[in-house]
Amino acid sequence: MKIHSNEKIKKLKDKVKGQIVLPDDSNYNEVREIWNAMIDRRPAAIVRCKDANDVSHAISYARENELEISIRGGGHNIAGSAVCDNGMMIDLSNMKTVKVDAQKKRAFVEPGATLGDFDKAVQAHGLATPVGINSTTGIAGLTLGGGFGWLTRKYGMTIDNLVSAEMVLADGRKIQVSKDENTDLFWAIRGGGGNFGVVTRFEFALHSVGPEILAGLIVFPVDQAKQVLIKYREFVKSAPEELNVWAILRKAPPLPFLSEKVHGKDIIVLAIFYAGDVQEGEKLIDPLRGFGDAYGEHIGVQPYAQWQQAFDPLLTPGARNYWKSHNLTELSDGVLDSIIEFAGKIPSPQCEIFVGLVLGAANRVASDAMAYGHRDAKFVMNVHGRWDEASQDETCIAWARSFFKASAPYASAGAYVNFMTEDESDRVAAAYGVNYPRLKQLKKKYDPGNIFHNNQNIRV
Ligand SMILES: Cc1cc2nc3c(=O)[nH]c(=O)nc-3n(C[C@H](O)[C@H](O)[C@H](O)COP(=O)(O)OP(=O)(O)OC[C@H]3O[C@@H](n4cnc5c(N)ncnc54)[C@H](O)[C@@H]3O)c2cc1C
């Protein structure tokens, strides 16, 4: 571990308003911990920033002392890039303020806010914008990689709703980016991740949503998966964009609406979300019940912010996680067979395959309009390996990798950077596709020393 003289650290302490946590401090282990328990790294110093000036001081200090930098928003990234060994972790998780201008339908969000913090603040005004499906995820990392969730069919990716941002650059300068200011950087951060600087404030456009929506689950036995998925594929082609349905294959958790006999059995779940008139929604979702002979269902009117937390109990921090992901332009017979084959070999009660539907507004944006370019993807499929014991690492990782390989022939080009693991750096160029050359140019312009490299790194 790099040693810092007390005097040097004191100089930084005198400058920043936030706390500096060092390895000897009692809260060090708690603060360096992130969502994926497979990642166990020990930074030399953690700067828990209070504002953009703190971020700027931390960057300058790290640069002057040749310390590696990692940036922590919500700490959810599966690759664990929020935390580094022996370097400086710039921890934004205490910068959580979400200000809402309800009249203008805008939210101003600090980078430590979770999706839960964001949804709570904007839903107080009956507003929302598309974000992910697990409320403890950080808004910062999610946005910078793209961001999609239940509202994406109707309102696009999270980045499609980003209006402006405040950033601190590699040289410590604070700037604004938007369609009118520093437009090249505004292009780059909408998908380019943390490669270009630290975002200290996001401005999002908001839409009227809920606050009550119709949502829930229908659970079928896995031996009906083929017919359910074939009917699902047809159904979503004409479903209105207010309606989103995702398919999840896993072992049945002990959900109260399922008989105890079903718990632990292999299942396929349709997760349903409708943000429109409830009666109309009831009519629209009714055909889904006929896709098979269901074990059970739980669907009802509920607050949007509550549905945004519905999957939290299955996605708690502290488990070991290894993910693989493909974009799909269609659910071909081949991919359905592959999904079903590997759903039959799920190695732990927490592993799952999910097929997220993004078909809609996200597909109507040009692929070079911003750094995120996968505008042809209609589905994002995630192989979510998740388990508790290190002894299961090999089996669960092997399962995820084998499924990823078997389903690769049916995937479209590219990948969603936010679902990539740390061993996928060879996929970065493919992930950005046509936008990669421009991203490389901008990386050279804004971070020539690549001080922001703990990410899915754009290398010059
Ligand atoms: C359980 C779970 C559910 C998920 N569900 C969804 C989903 O529904 N939809 C979806 O789109 N994604 C989803 N994701 C993926 C998620 O978008 C990424 O994991 C994302 O990186 C999380 O952001 P974070 O701020 O929590 O991550 P962190 O680990 O804190 O940060 C990840 C990286 O982002 C960069 N970064 C973070 N903050 C900043 C900043 N302020 N400035 C510059 N760079 C920064 C850094 O490079 C950092 O290493 C999910 C992830 C998990 C673990």
Side-chain angles (χ1 to χ4, degrees):
M1 176 157 309
K2 225 165 196 159
I3 309 294
H4 300 277
S5 70
N6 285 341
E7 205 184 315
K8 268 191 180 170
I9 280 286
K10 186 160 179 313
K11 270 191 195 154
L12 181 61
K13 272 190 175 154
D14 288 345
K15 284 183 182 161
V16 299
K17 296 191 204 85
Q19 192 194 18
I20 296 179
V21 179
L22 299 173
D24 288 341
D25 290 325
S26 58
N27 58 346
Y28 175 75
N29 283 330
E30 185 193 325
V31 177
R32 74 183 174 90
E33 202 171 81
I34 56 166
W35 185 81
N36 184 2
M38 289 195 83
I39 310 294
D40 180 18
R41 300 201 187 113
R42 303 182 65 84
I46 302 171
V47 185
R48 311 202 78 194
C49 299
K50 273 225 161 127
D51 59 20
N53 291 334
D54 279 6
V55 173
S56 176
H57 290 309
I59 292 174
S60 301
Y61 179 90
R63 233 190 20 241
E64 283 155 21
N65 291 281
E66 294 180 356
L67 277 176
E68 195 174 351
I69 291 177
S70 71
I71 314 294
R72 186 199 200 276
H76 257 238
N77 196 276
I78 199 72
S81 49
V83 57
C84 58
D85 274 326
N86 304 328
M88 175 184 281
M89 172 164 157
I90 298 182
D91 179 3
L92 306 166
S93 59
N94 284 339
M95 294 171 64
K96 281 176 163 301
T97 309
V98 181
K99 285 191 185 138
V100 183
D101 184 335
Q103 244 181 354
K104 292 195 176 135
K105 293 194 171 176
R106 291 284 188 270
F108 301 87
V109 185
E110 285 192 319
T114 61
L115 306 188
D117 297 326
F118 174 77
D119 283 332
K120 187 172 169 211
V122 296
Q123 273 289 281
H125 306 275
L127 299 169
T129 216
V131 290
I133 61 130
N134 170 221
S135 79
T136 56
T137 310
I139 195 115
L142 176 124
T143 302
L144 295 168
F148 69 93
W150 300 114
L151 290 170
T152 290
R153 296 204 61 210
K154 175 86 177 148
Y155 297 117
M157 307 284 295
T158 309
I159 39 175
D160 299 337
N161 295 278
L162 185 66
V163 177
S164 73
E166 175 190 84
M167 294 180 70
V168 179
L169 301 182
D171 59 11
R173 262 184 313 145
K174 196 162 83 178
I175 62 156
Q176 306 292 325
V177 302
S178 70
K179 67 174 179 39
D180 305 314
E181 270 181 286
N182 297 302
T183 50
D184 55 355
L185 259 186
F186 185 50
W187 180 91
I189 63 160
R190 285 175 292 163
N195 273 287
F196 300 96
V198 180
V199 174
T200 47
R201 201 191 59 234
F202 297 89
E203 179 187 356
F204 293 107
L206 302 171
H207 312 273
S208 296
V209 172
E212 301 259 280
I213 50 93
L214 180 68
L217 309 174
I218 309 179
V219 179
F220 299 96
V222 85
D223 57 15
Q224 295 171 22
K226 184 81 184 255
Q227 81 186 53
V228 170
L229 286 168
I230 287 172
K231 289 179 179 170
Y232 169 74
R233 161 171 91 184
E234 273 317 297
F235 179 86
V236 299
K237 279 184 191 159
S238 57
E241 290 177 0
E242 288 77 11
L243 179 62
N244 204 340
V245 186
W246 291 15
I248 302 141
L249 294 95
R250 57 170 294 136
K251 294 192 181 293
L255 296 167
F257 68 91
L258 292 177
S259 137
E260 269 185 38
K261 278 187 259 159
V262 174
H263 299 173
K265 289 214 160 118
D266 290 332
I267 53 170
I268 175 164
V269 183
L270 295 180
I272 301 156
F273 169 86
Y274 182 73
D277 174 74
V278 170
Q279 278 182 345
E280 182 60 22
E282 291 282 11
K283 271 191 255 160
L284 283 165
I285 67 171
D286 198 43
L288 297 169
R289 298 187 169 99
F291 283 13
D293 186 10
Y295 276 140
E297 69 166 65
H298 185 73
I299 300 173
V301 176
Q302 56 192 294
Y304 168 76
Q306 181 181 311
W307 176 247
Q308 283 288 89
Q309 298 174 11
F311 292 87
D312 289 2
L314 298 176
L315 297 168
T316 48
R320 303 174 77 77
N321 290 269
Y322 182 86
W323 294 9
K324 284 290 198 185
S325 154
H326 283 306
N327 288 338
L328 305 170
T329 50
E330 56 167 352
L331 292 181
S332 61
D333 288 344
V335 87
L336 296 192
D337 288 341
S338 184
I339 290 172
I340 290 160
E341 182 192 341
F342 282 86
K345 300 178 189 169
I346 281 186
S348 102
Q350 301 180 65
C351 288
E352 61 186 22
I353 298 170
F354 85 64
V355 179
L357 180 68
V358 291
L359 169 74
N363 305 125
R364 292 192 286 271
V365 177
S367 55
D368 61 355
M370 54 190 87
Y372 176 91
H374 308 303
R375 299 307 183 160
D376 60 339
K378 301 198 170 81
F379 305 87
V380 180
M381 181 170 74
N382 194 8
V383 192
H384 183 179
R386 182 179 159 95
W387 62 99
D388 286 325
E389 302 299 332
S391 57
Q392 293 171 280
D393 286 3
E394 210 178 308
T395 319
C396 294
I397 291 173
W399 170 76
R401 285 187 180 148
S402 312
F403 175 50
F404 174 76
K405 204 171 157 199
S407 52
Y410 315 107
S412 52
Y416 180 38
V417 287
N418 272 347
F419 284 169
M420 277 160 56
T421 46
E422 57 178 328
D423 58 8
E424 292 191 292
S425 49
D426 57 344
R427 265 184 113 191
V428 175
Y432 286 112
V434 292
N435 292 330
Y436 200 57
R438 186 170 178 202
L439 282 164
K440 280 171 59 157
Q441 278 170 11
L442 292 170
K443 180 73 177 174
K444 205 168 172 183
K445 178 172 171 191
Y446 288 103
D447 182 20
N450 200 14
I451 69 163
F452 302 118
H453 63 260
N454 272 306
N455 43 46
Q456 296 300 348
N457 199 218
I458 295 162
R459 292 208 177 91
V460 181

